[in-house]
């Protein structure tokens, strides 16, 4: 922060104000009313101090921040009033004068040694100035002066309190040193260990974070903090899941929000079967809670269980219409990230938005059952202009499934556009409609048009690459995917798609494995990427490793395409009974899956 200039030498009040102060006279009423001194209206001020405060505020308002700062700092020292110290510190912060703000805080601590607020300001100022090492003394003092009963909550808050520093590793080391005295006590140990673990997680060291989470869980098996830290470590640190499972099995019972956060983590990792099991447990133990029913419905829908999805969603609607809350705690998810729409605003926070989400999902469930009239009845309930494109996209899908593609596309075209983002979303919706109908040529044209309008949009480039692959334009697909990777090196889908394509064509297999392994580094445990890795191992001749990896992928997500691959490798290994079982399970979920149908036809298997 740049410093403003501070006058050297004494600050002198204008003679008129000094004379008025000495005489005990009041300034004009209008001038007094024009100055607001936050927090000092009832302070026992003598006349000279009052006029000094007044003049300091006038100087700040007139743009002479340096003079105003000096006047108010002197007044704060004389009065020892914390509100005045707070005001002068804020003046320096607003002027982006970090050294002056820190000087004010140090003066505050000297004048009021027991002030918790001064200590908090001191720590935050040092962190903001990236003087992390100097923050240990005020942080330790702040914790030492706190009431013992308040310490666990304070320890929980410390990582966020220090989170603005760019020196993440320095903050983690600071937490280790400052919180060490609290790590062994029964009342503070778990919170202190979790706070240190969060520091190491923020610094990019999940191994140290996991070690602290494990210590905290061992010390307090019934505490939520270790489980919440463990959830943040997943899926990068798979061993953290044991902490979560232990908390969910322990007493006192974990809050519903903790289990729902676990569900969200599982869903984000595409472990939809495991996520569905967890949320089903919650609906059985607390059937009057509405959010788990919406989550269960969304998961069942993604697993292509439309009947079960409909039952769960209708239960949710009944509960919400009966007045049930639509959220559980401030951080609890309602719909898992993997099955909700892409933007965060789709998480329902009111009864109206919650019901809109449920009706859209119910319409999808009806559509999966080819009950198009039923789907339209659910959509007709929605009166939400912010969801207009989503509603019309669902209607367009219904028309396309009835062979009315031209009408379906026109329906999307007619949705009003308020922003460039709306126009982009319409192009994506139209391309998705064509993709679902397997009209790859038309989908590619729409996406090519979108990429001209929005150049270097990695999502659009990726979607066009997938359309090129379906059209067997593999050179174009590879060119687009490599462009995505160049623009966004952490785009795990692009690495996976390119690696899988090479494996499928049985070319450049070592490169294919390297690409897929990179995708897994970026998205650990993702079942479809794990499936790709199993498939490339099969192509490389590593059949036993392929079976192991594909079983892991299928267990995480029993998708028909993963079933097709696992079944083929098992079939080639002579494990025909298990192969048929896996294929039957895949066909029961989606009998129209192209990969599964092609596999069974090529191998001439009749189930």
């Amino acid at each position: 922060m740049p410093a403003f200039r501070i006058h050297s030498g004494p600050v002198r009040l204008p003679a008129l104000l000094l004379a008025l102060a000495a005489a005990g006279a009041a300034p004009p009423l209008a001038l007094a009313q024009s100055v607001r001194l936050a927090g000092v209206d009832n302070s026992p001020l003598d006349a000279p101090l009052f006029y000094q405060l007044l003049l300091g505020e006038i100087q700040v308002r007139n743009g002479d921040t340096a003079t105003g700062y000096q006047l108010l700092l002197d007044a704060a020292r004389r009065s020892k009033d914390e509100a005045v110290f707070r005001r002068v510190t804020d003046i320096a912060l607003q002027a982006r004068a970090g050294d002056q703000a820190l000087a004010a805080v140090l003066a505050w601590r000297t004048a009021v040694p027991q002030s918790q607020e001064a200590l908090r300001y001191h720590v935050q100022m040092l962190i903001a100035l990236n003087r992390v090492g100097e923050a240990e003394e005020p942080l330790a003092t702040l914790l030492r002066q706190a009431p013992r009963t308040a310490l666990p909550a304070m320890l929980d808050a410390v990582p966020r309190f220090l989170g603005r520093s760019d020196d993440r590793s320095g903050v983690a080391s600071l937490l280790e040193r400052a919180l060490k005295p609290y790590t062994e006590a029964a009342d503070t140990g778990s919170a202190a260990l979790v706070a240190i673990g969060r520091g190491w997680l923020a610094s990019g060291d999940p191994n140290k974070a996991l070690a602290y989470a494990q210590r905290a869980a061992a010390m307090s098996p019934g505490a939520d903090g270790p489980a919440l830290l463990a959830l943040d470590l997943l899926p990068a640190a798979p061993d953290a899941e044991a902490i979560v499972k232990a908390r969910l099995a322990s007493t006192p019972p974990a809050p519903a929000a903790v289990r729902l956060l676990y569900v969200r983590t599982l869903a984000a990792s595409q472990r939809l079967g495991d996520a569905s099991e967890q949320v089903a447990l919650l609906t059985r133990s607390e059937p009057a809670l509405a959010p788990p029913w919406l989550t269960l419905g969304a998961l069942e829908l993604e697993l292509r269980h439309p009947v079960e999805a409909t039952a769960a969603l209708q239960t949710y609607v009944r509960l919400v219409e009966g007045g049930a809350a639509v959220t559980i705690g401030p951080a609890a998810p309602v719909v898992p990230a993997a099955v909700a729409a892409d933007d965060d605003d789709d998480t329902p926070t009111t009864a109206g938005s919650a019901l809109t989400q449920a009706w859209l999902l119910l319409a999808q469930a009806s559509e999966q059952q080819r009950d198009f009239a039923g789907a339209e009845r659910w959509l007709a309930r929605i009166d939400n202009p912010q969801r207009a494109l989503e509603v019309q996209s669902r209607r367009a899908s219904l028309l396309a499934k009835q062979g009315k593609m031209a009408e379906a596309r026109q329906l999307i075209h007619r949705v009003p556009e308020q922003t460039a983002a709306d126009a982009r979303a319409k192009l994506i919706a139209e391309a998705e409609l064509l993709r679902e109908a397997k009209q790859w040529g038309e989908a590619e044209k729409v996406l090519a048009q979108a990429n001209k309008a929005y150049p270097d949009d990695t999502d659009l480039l990726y979607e066009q690459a997938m359309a090129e692959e379906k059209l067997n334009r593999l050179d174009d697909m590879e060119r687009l995917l490599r462009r995505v990777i160049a623009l966004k090196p952490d785009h795990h889908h692009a690495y996976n798609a390119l690696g899988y394509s090479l494996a499928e064509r049985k070319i450049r297999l070592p490169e294919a494995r390297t690409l897929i392994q990179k995708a897994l580094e970026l998205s650990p445990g993702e079942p479809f990427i794990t499936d790709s890795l199993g498939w490339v191992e099969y192509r490389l001749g590593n059949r036993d490793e392929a079976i192991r990896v594909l079983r892991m992928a299928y267990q995480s997500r029993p998708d028909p395409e993963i079933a097709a691959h696992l079944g083929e490798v098992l079939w080639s290994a002579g494990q025909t009974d298990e192969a048929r079982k896996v294929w039957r399970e895949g066909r029961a979920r989606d009998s129209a899956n192209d990969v599964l149908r092609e596999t069974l036809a090529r191998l001439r298997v009749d189930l």
Side-chain angles (χ1 to χ4, degrees), residues 520-534:
L520 268 178
E521 287 176 17
L522 294 168
S523 184
E526 212 279 357
F528 287 115
I529 304 177
T530 305
D531 169 67
S532 297
L533 182 61

Side-chain angles (χ1 to χ4, degrees), residues 108-447:
W108 185 354
R109 284 195 61 190
T110 300
V112 192
Q114 300 304 312
S115 172
Q116 290 267 299
E117 188 174 10
L119 286 164
R120 284 194 294 270
Y121 264 82
H122 193 187
V123 174
Q124 287 181 307
M125 283 301 312
L126 291 168
I127 293 299
L129 292 168
N130 276 321
R131 293 161 63 170
V132 174
E134 298 174 41
E136 184 175 352
E137 181 275 326
L139 177 59
T141 305
L142 178 67
L143 294 171
R144 192 166 55 249
Q145 289 184 0
R148 191 75 190 186
T149 54
L151 265 177
M154 286 186 67
L155 291 167
D156 283 340
V158 165
R160 294 190 299 277
F161 187 56
L162 305 182
R164 299 178 68 179
S165 174
D166 295 331
D167 184 4
R168 300 297 178 85
S169 180
V171 167
S173 296
L174 167 64
L175 287 168
E176 270 193 334
R177 295 192 304 272
L179 273 55
K180 185 177 180 180
Y182 306 97
T183 57
E184 300 298 332
D187 58 337
T188 60
S190 179
L193 292 166
V194 167
I196 298 169
R198 289 205 171 278
W200 286 116
L201 176 60
S203 76
D205 193 334
N207 292 327
K208 282 189 177 180
L210 176 60
Y212 276 105
Q214 288 169 333
R215 284 178 59 189
M219 177 174 278
S220 301
D224 297 328
L228 293 172
L229 173 56
L231 284 168
D232 287 338
L233 284 163
L234 293 172
D239 289 348
E241 190 166 3
I243 299 172
V244 181
K245 289 181 175 179
R247 174 64 188 103
L248 293 174
S250 68
T251 54
V258 173
R259 194 177 294 273
L260 276 179
L261 285 168
Y262 182 38
V263 169
R264 182 171 194 163
T265 302
L266 292 170
S269 299
Q270 293 294 316
R271 293 172 54 186
L272 301 189
D274 293 338
S276 182
E277 285 180 18
Q278 288 296 323
V279 79
L281 287 171
L282 193 51
T283 60
R284 289 195 291 271
S285 63
E286 300 192 55
L289 287 178
W293 290 105
L294 179 60
T295 305
L296 180 60
L299 288 165
E300 294 289 6
L301 188 61
E302 186 72 6
L303 289 166
R304 303 191 70 83
H305 300 155
V307 175
E308 294 85 347
T310 299
L313 292 165
Q314 287 179 329
T315 301
Y316 176 77
V317 168
R318 284 196 299 272
L319 288 169
V320 173
E321 289 180 336
V326 299
T327 58
I328 302 176
V334 178
V335 181
V339 294
D342 286 339
D343 80 52
D344 292 337
D345 291 335
D346 286 329
T347 299
T349 56
T350 67
S353 61
L355 289 171
T356 295
Q357 183 69 56
W359 289 327
L360 282 165
L361 293 171
L362 281 162
Q364 286 181 255
S366 295
E367 185 178 340
Q368 280 190 12
Q369 298 173 86
R370 302 193 67 79
D371 179 6
F372 303 133
E376 177 54 42
R377 283 194 296 272
W378 292 118
L379 293 174
R381 296 192 180 200
I382 300 171
D383 182 18
N384 185 339
Q386 294 180 336
R387 307 297 285 270
L389 177 58
E390 197 171 351
V391 172
Q392 294 301 75
S393 296
R394 291 259 57 85
R395 287 198 170 107
S397 180
L398 297 176
L399 289 170
K401 284 183 169 61
Q402 296 173 76
K404 302 175 182 178
M405 180 57 78
E407 294 178 45
R409 296 177 74 176
Q410 281 301 314
L411 197 60
I412 292 175
H413 292 167
R414 289 196 296 268
V415 176
E417 298 173 16
Q418 301 295 328
T419 65
D422 294 339
R424 176 184 177 277
K426 285 173 61 175
L427 289 167
I428 291 174
E430 185 177 5
E432 184 177 353
L433 186 73
L434 292 162
R435 192 168 60 240
E436 286 179 357
K438 300 179 183 178
Q439 294 189 17
W440 307 113
E442 288 298 306
E444 192 278 336
K445 288 178 184 177
V446 170
L447 288 163

Side-chain angles (χ1 to χ4, degrees), residues 80-96:
K80 298 186 178 181
D81 191 309
E82 294 203 63
V84 185
F85 276 115
R86 185 187 313 115
R87 172 64 178 144
V88 73
T89 304
D90 289 343
I91 287 170
L93 290 172
Q94 289 164 13
R96 301 184 64 78

